[in-house]
Amino acid sequence: MRVEVCGVRHHGPGSARAVLAALEALQPDVVLVEGPADADHLVPLVAAAGMEPPVALLAHVVGEPARAAWWPLAAFSPEWQALRWAARRGVPVRFCDLPSTVVLAGDPDDPADPAGEPAPDDPAEPADPAGEPDALRADPVAALAAARGYDDPERWWDDVVE
């Protein structure tokens, strides 16, 4: 058994083209796409008549609509392209990320955000044990961009990857 991993940028047109080229070259027996594992039963909807992006998977806690998560897909999303490629060829697809039930479980000990996400005024970067931000862990793309002299990680990505 051989496993290939295609690293992608969500909603990156260049990544979408690269994924399609890789799928054509590899002709996999199964395609795994990042998304909630408990949404596998929704995969066949990709091939449904009239199903056109933008679309999204949405999960929420019953009775608590603020506790929700969504996984958006655009026409230029590598995930959407992989799903469509597999559907056209009858190749099985599975989502390979934490189930939405885990994503929505949250931290019951954190009253600031019942979904377990940082509160809006929390720092965006995690702190290292010494209390300093760990920028590399928080945004590795920004660290790569800065190393190449870019002050905008989006521009670096477009120049180097896309």
Side-chain angles (χ1 to χ4, degrees):
M1 175 174 53
R2 187 171 129 183
V3 175
E4 295 284 337
V5 176
C6 298
V8 300
R9 176 140 193 232
H10 299 297
H11 315 302
S15 292
R17 287 188 298 272
V19 164
L20 285 177
L23 291 169
E24 283 296 323
L26 296 168
Q27 295 295 310
D29 296 323
V30 176
V31 174
L32 302 177
V33 174
E34 183 179 358
D38 53 348
D40 282 349
H41 65 285
L42 298 173
V43 169
L45 293 175
V46 168
M51 180 64 73
E52 295 292 330
V55 297
L57 294 169
L58 172 66
H60 66 91
V61 176
V62 175
E64 297 182 55
R67 289 185 57 190
W70 62 297
W71 294 263
L73 299 165
F76 49 85
S77 299
E79 299 86 349
W80 178 257
Q81 292 298 320
L83 288 163
R84 291 296 298 234
W85 182 93
R88 286 191 299 269
R89 288 160 182 79
V91 174
V93 177
R94 303 287 181 268
F95 288 116
C96 61
D97 207 342
L98 292 173
S100 62
T101 53
V102 172
V103 172
L104 294 171
D107 181 358
D109 297 327
D110 182 3
D113 186 4
E117 295 294 324
D121 57 350
D122 285 352
E125 298 179 7
D128 70 11
E132 296 297 320
D134 183 354
L136 181 58
R137 184 176 8 206
D139 190 351
V141 172
L144 288 169
R148 294 290 297 172
Y150 284 76
D151 59 355
D152 180 3
E154 295 292 326
R155 183 156 184 208
W156 173 84
W157 185 274
D158 288 343
D159 289 350
V160 175
V161 178
E162 296 289 335

